[in-house]
Amino acid sequence: MAKRPIPTVIAIVGPTSSGKTDLSVRVAKKVGGEIISADSRQVYRGLNLGTGKVTHAETRGVPHHLLDVANPRTIYNASDYVRDGRRALADILGRDKTPIIVGGTGFYIDALLGRIELAAVPPNHALRKKLAKMSLAQLQNRLKQREPKRYKTIDIQNPRRLIRALEISLTKKTAAPPPPLPAMQIIWIGLALPATVLKKRIHARLLNRIKKGMLREARRLHTAGVSWKRMHALGLEYRYQALYLQKKITKAEMLEQLEKESNAYAKRQMTWFKKNPDIKWVSPQNAPALIKEVRAH
């Protein structure tokens, strides 16, 4: 009996606003693929405009996985993502479809695809409560001292992530391992743009999302029970919108900080992805040729 060929998984990565969503749908349409979102905030229901979540129309009928799987009032971490992501991988491959991992959360992608091993550390609620009493600066300093390498890649403005990183560093108990990774070959595609172009796209995208009602979305989340503290922990758009809605900053300050932080986030994303030598970097303009190449596999 002939051996079944090793299935192919496609990973499309890159910084925010680089065009990953559009390319992923086009690739999926060509290869008969299904998309697994790799975004640490798009897993939450109701975080749509703020995260740039794909709309129903934009999916063009392509199935998407790991969107809207968690309540924004709760914490859904990398371990949860790897568990659910590997189940989605097995499901898609079991139906002879091509999984396409798409997103900008490099830590989640690398954990899902086995490039890094997650610390098998279960939640330590007593420790979290103790760490939550510390100021942002204290959390930053403590992590910098204990885990200088992790400190360089983490969102140091996000207390939730700082607390989780410290929890991993300080805890010795282990949790159940994630589902095994299926046998597969991975095609890595990265979208890269000149810094000036990416900055313009980030600026235009921010204004477009404000125009579409991003602030109304933030108000709805808070009305639905997402606390200001939780919105701060959700980062970027929700952090600064929460400050604006509490009248702690002006709208102009909100937009300025959002754009500044989005550009800084894009740089951190690229720093992470550049560690992976298997990524083939292309510009969005070269996407049509790349799609043909992917289809040939």
Side-chain angles (χ1 to χ4, degrees), residues 107 140-156 162 165 169 268 271-272 275:
F107 182 65
Q140 292 170 343
N141 289 333
R142 189 163 186 188
L143 182 64
K144 189 175 184 179
Q145 291 172 1
R146 290 191 62 89
E147 305 285 349
K149 289 184 179 179
R150 182 72 182 105
Y151 180 82
K152 291 179 180 179
T153 61
I154 201 169
D155 177 2
I156 61 170
L162 291 169
S169 180
R268 291 197 301 274
T271 297
W272 183 279
K275 295 185 294 184

Side-chain angles (χ1 to χ4, degrees), residues 94 237 288:
E237 295 81 6

Side-chain angles (χ1 to χ4, degrees), residues 3 12 21 30 43 63 68 75 77 81 88 94 158 167 216:
K3 289 184 177 180
I12 299 177
T21 297
K30 288 287 185 181
V43 296
D68 303 323
I75 293 175
N77 61 30
Y81 178 81
N158 190 326
E167 179 181 43
R216 289 195 298 274

Side-chain angles (χ1 to χ4, degrees), residues 199 202-204 206-207 209-210 214-215 236-237 239-241 243-244 248-265:
K199 283 184 178 181
I202 288 173
H203 175 77
L206 173 59
L207 295 183
R209 287 188 288 172
I210 287 290
M214 191 166 70
L215 277 166
L236 286 174
E237 295 81 6
R239 176 181 303 151
Y240 291 103
Q241 287 185 107
L243 290 172
Y244 168 69
K248 293 183 177 180
I249 59 174
T250 66
K251 188 172 184 179
E253 289 171 331
M254 177 193 75
L255 293 172
E256 180 183 358
Q257 286 298 316
L258 260 179
E259 190 162 343
K260 178 182 175 182
E261 290 294 332
S262 294
N263 280 298
Y265 177 55

Side-chain angles (χ1 to χ4, degrees), residues 16-292:
T16 183
S17 304
S18 58
K20 298 183 296 294
T21 297
D22 177 65
L23 177 60
S24 66
V25 170
R26 292 163 69 188
V27 170
K29 297 290 281 187
K30 288 287 185 181
V31 304
E34 297 187 11
I35 292 170
I36 299 176
S37 170
D39 187 292
S40 62
R41 299 182 306 157
Q42 290 185 10
V43 296
Y44 294 111
R45 292 184 289 275
L47 274 65
N48 302 325
L49 285 168
T51 64
K53 192 180 295 177
V54 65
T55 65
H56 177 73
E58 289 169 344
T59 66
R60 294 171 57 196
V62 173
H64 280 62
H65 303 260
L66 269 66
L67 295 174
D68 303 323
V69 296
N71 186 322
R73 288 176 292 178
T74 64
I75 293 175
Y76 184 97
N77 61 30
S79 296
D80 298 322
Y81 178 81
V82 171
R83 178 198 64 218
D84 294 341
R86 290 192 180 176
R87 288 173 180 168
L89 272 174
D91 171 52
I92 296 167
L93 290 170
R95 291 182 282 107
D96 291 324
K97 299 289 185 179
T98 301
I100 304 172
I101 319 296
V102 184
T105 306
F107 182 65
Y108 278 28
I109 296 169
D110 284 353
L112 172 64
L113 296 179
R115 278 181 47 82
I116 59 174
E117 291 294 327
L118 288 181
V121 176
N124 183 330
H125 297 290
L127 177 59
R128 287 182 180 182
K129 189 174 181 179
K130 182 179 177 181
L131 292 172
K133 295 177 181 178
M134 298 173 67
S135 69
L136 181 63
Q138 288 173 323
L139 290 170
Q140 292 170 343
N141 289 333
R142 189 163 186 188
L143 182 64
K144 189 175 184 179
Q145 291 172 1
R146 290 191 62 89
E147 305 285 349
K149 289 184 179 179
R150 182 72 182 105
Y151 180 82
K152 291 179 180 179
T153 61
I154 201 169
D155 177 2
I156 61 170
Q157 300 300 319
N158 190 326
R160 178 178 65 85
R161 294 194 177 178
L162 291 169
I163 288 171
R164 176 56 180 166
L166 284 167
E167 179 181 43
I168 290 169
S169 180
L170 294 164
T171 304
K172 294 180 180 179
K173 293 181 181 179
T174 59
L181 195 62
M184 58 190 180
Q185 57 180 338
I186 305 170
I187 297 175
W188 292 88
I189 300 167
L191 285 182
L193 297 127
T196 53
V197 175
L198 186 61
K199 283 184 178 181
K200 288 180 180 178
R201 291 179 72 151
I202 288 173
H203 175 77
R205 188 185 191 211
L206 173 59
L207 295 183
N208 184 52
R209 287 188 288 172
I210 287 290
K211 184 179 179 180
K212 287 184 175 180
M214 191 166 70
L215 277 166
R216 289 195 298 274
E217 175 179 283
R219 287 192 186 97
R220 282 198 301 271
L221 285 167
H222 183 62
T223 301
V226 181
S227 68
W228 296 128
K229 183 178 180 180
R230 178 62 179 147
M231 288 179 72
H232 184 89
L234 287 167
L236 286 174
E237 295 81 6
Y238 300 98
R239 176 181 303 151
Y240 291 103
Q241 287 185 107
L243 290 172
Y244 168 69
L245 292 173
Q246 293 174 88
K247 303 187 185 304
K248 293 183 177 180
I249 59 174
T250 66
K251 188 172 184 179
E253 289 171 331
M254 177 193 75
L255 293 172
E256 180 183 358
Q257 286 298 316
L258 260 179
E259 190 162 343
K260 178 182 175 182
E261 290 294 332
S262 294
N263 280 298
Y265 177 55
K267 289 181 180 179
R268 291 197 301 274
Q269 288 176 299
M270 289 302 294
T271 297
W272 183 279
F273 290 128
K274 284 179 179 177
K275 295 185 294 184
N276 183 348
D278 296 327
I279 297 175
K280 181 176 181 179
W281 292 97
V282 296
S283 67
Q285 290 82 358
N286 293 333
L290 182 64
I291 292 171
K292 289 182 181 178

